Amino acid sequence: MNAAEEKMRKRLEAAGLRPTRQRISLGEILFGRGDRHVSAEALHAEAAAAGETVSLATVYNTLRAFTGAGLVRELTIDANRVYFDTNIGAHHHFFDERNGALMDIPAELIKIDGVPTPPEGAEIEAIDVIVRVKTATS
Amino acid sequence: MNAAEEKMRKRLEAAGLRPTRQRISLGEILFGRGDRHVSAEALHAEAAAAGETVSLATVYNTLRAFTGAGLVRELTIDANRVYFDTNIGAHHHFFDERNGALMDIPAELIKIDGVPTPPEGAEIEAIDVIVRVKTATS
DNA sequence: GTGTTTGCAAAGTGTTTGCAATTTA
DNA sequence: TAAATTGCAAACACTTTGCAAACAC
């Protein structure tokens, strides 16, 4: 029995999710190597490349389940693709419009002042800072 | 000859766009009343409500043309819908996740410090701050 | 066993495209 | 008249859904 697999199984149980074969596989890919930003499509491809059999629908289901359980966070950065971020703490992003690359910016680095009081009855959920960059054309 | 229409015609010409009937109509709706945030679908509905005959495809074409000409700016805020902002100056946004409402925050109000140097060879295009709020459930 | 999850294929959204007809300069 | 624009319907890319079979507890 693989140790990483066992650990993932526990992590899913702790989050109240049934540790199915597919969720364990996807979890290992997502959380196995530091912070990641993935689209459903990309995760599906990675799973396939790793020899795991997981349908695209299940990848979507799983990512939604992980999001609901707080293991992962949805990012809105590109209008035609949902990204999921395995870093669930507060932080910001560099987004390279040329190639779609995303890079974390630790929350402590950026100081934001002067955010006005939200409209009557609204409460601030999150403050997202996206630094859009373009790499020079080669 | 409507004065507003004539003005819009000139504005389009100045931007290097042919002033077609459809572009003038859409332009008047977009720029006629202060800063606006619209989706293609919403603009199409508004045009229809105003009695203008414009196909949805043309609304998309026009918004793309306006974006290219710098009359309008694309906003990435919601993963399944593109918004266009008639305010092309630097500024930020409140976004109400409950009802999709968008509200401008003047750039001068918010001070951002500590943005790290972008990765090698990349240049900062824009810094977007999105303050996500939720109105209390009624 | 009972309720959950999977996976397929079909349906759904929002957006783009091909192309003939129309319009603009 | 030449080049750009329109509008329809079809094509697209991404995501969700319906439902029967497989699985977890």
Side-chain angles (χ1 to χ4, degrees):
Chain A
M1 246 337 74
N2 188 325
E5 188 182 314
E6 198 49 45
K7 200 172 154 190
M8 194 62 229
R9 180 183 297 275
K10 293 223 169 86
R11 187 164 181 179
L12 293 176
E13 272 164 357
L17 297 174
R18 283 201 186 178
T20 66
R21 193 196 88 236
Q22 292 86 338
R23 287 175 177 173
I24 293 170
S25 299
L26 296 176
E28 289 189 78
I29 294 173
L30 282 172
F31 305 113
R33 254 193 315 230
D35 294 337
R36 307 208 46 191
H37 308 100
V38 293
S39 65
E41 206 90 37
L43 181 56
H44 183 238
E46 261 194 86
E52 310 285 359
T53 308
V54 184
S55 76
L56 184 54
T58 295
V59 173
Y60 278 103
N61 280 341
T62 301
L63 285 170
R64 255 193 299 135
F66 281 15
T67 304
L71 298 177
V72 129
R73 178 231 277 215
E74 220 176 298
L75 287 187
T76 303
I77 282 203
D78 178 330
N80 3 273
R81 188 174 267 78
V82 178
Y83 284 94
F84 294 87
D85 192 337
T86 61
N87 178 351
I88 54 175
H91 66 285
H92 305 295
H93 295 96
F94 275 122
F95 179 63
D96 189 330
E97 314 211 292
R98 198 87 68 190
N99 60 20
L102 264 172
M103 191 180 240
D104 282 355
I105 302 176
E108 317 83 70
L109 289 188
I110 294 188
K111 226 174 304 294
I112 307 169
D113 274 315
V115 173
T117 311
E120 200 47 47
E123 213 175 294
I124 293 180
E125 286 283 308
I127 299 180
D128 292 350
V129 177
I130 300 168
V131 182
R132 296 180 185 273
V133 303
K134 271 202 176 110
T135 48
T137 339
S138 39
Chain B
M1 235 350 61
N2 186 324
E5 188 181 318
E6 198 49 45
K7 200 172 153 189
M8 194 62 227
R9 182 185 294 277
K10 293 225 170 84
R11 186 164 181 179
L12 292 175
E13 272 164 357
L17 296 173
R18 284 200 186 178
T20 66
R21 193 195 89 236
Q22 292 87 339
R23 286 176 179 172
I24 292 170
S25 300
L26 296 176
E28 289 189 78
I29 294 174
L30 282 172
F31 305 113
R33 254 195 312 233
D35 294 337
R36 307 207 47 191
H37 306 101
V38 292
S39 65
E41 207 89 39
L43 181 56
H44 183 238
E46 260 193 87
E52 309 285 0
T53 306
V54 184
S55 76
L56 184 54
T58 295
V59 173
Y60 277 104
N61 281 342
T62 301
L63 285 171
R64 253 193 302 134
F66 282 15
T67 304
L71 299 178
V72 129
R73 177 231 280 213
E74 218 176 301
L75 287 187
T76 303
I77 280 200
D78 179 327
N80 356 277
R81 189 173 266 78
V82 178
Y83 285 94
F84 294 86
D85 193 338
T86 61
N87 178 350
I88 53 174
H91 65 283
H92 306 294
H93 295 95
F94 276 121
F95 178 63
D96 188 333
E97 314 212 291
R98 197 88 66 190
N99 60 19
L102 264 172
M103 188 179 245
D104 281 356
I105 303 175
E108 318 83 70
L109 289 188
I110 294 188
K111 226 172 302 296
I112 306 168
D113 274 316
V115 174
T117 311
E120 198 49 44
E123 211 175 296
I124 293 180
E125 287 283 309
I127 298 180
D128 292 350
V129 177
I130 300 167
V131 182
R132 296 181 186 273
V133 304
K134 274 204 175 107
T135 49
T137 338
S138 41

